[in-house]
Amino acid sequence: MATCEVCGNDYWMAFEVRTVSGDVHTFDSFECAVHKLAPVCEHCELKIVGHGVEVDGRFFCCGHCARAVETSRGAEIRDAVGARPA
């Protein structure tokens, strides 16, 4: 068994996540993995679980937050929600 590095639970179905930088983390749930590894939106401070958006190396959960902070480059960001292909 392995111990989750977030909650300390010793669980037989724990899993490892290997990052691009080579770090290895052990978790007992996706909830703990998200808590530890997900980036935080620089505007609303929400954990970014989906793809989010990146503007000049800064991470945001959506286009609205990117536009609120990054007024010049953020203005170019559009959310896909509600957009329908032509």
Side-chain angles (χ1 to χ4, degrees):
M1 290 202 289
T3 303
C4 177
E5 65 184 68
V6 172
C7 69
N9 187 27
D10 191 18
Y11 186 45
W12 68 276
M13 289 183 63
F15 57 93
E16 289 184 347
V17 174
R18 297 173 188 275
T19 65
V20 173
S21 64
D23 295 332
V24 179
H25 300 276
T26 303
F27 304 107
D28 71 337
S29 67
F30 287 114
E31 179 181 10
C32 286
V34 166
H35 178 77
K36 176 79 176 189
L37 299 176
V40 176
C41 177
E42 291 194 33
H43 178 65
C44 71
E45 299 182 359
L46 189 75
K47 290 280 186 175
I48 303 170
V49 179
H51 52 77
V53 296
E54 180 183 356
V55 179
D56 293 331
R58 299 176 74 188
F59 293 93
F60 303 95
C61 65
C62 63
H64 173 267
C65 285
R67 290 187 299 276
V69 175
E70 291 285 342
T71 54
S72 59
R73 295 276 321 271
E76 301 170 16
I77 303 297
R78 295 286 177 258
D79 289 315
V81 176
R84 297 183 182 184

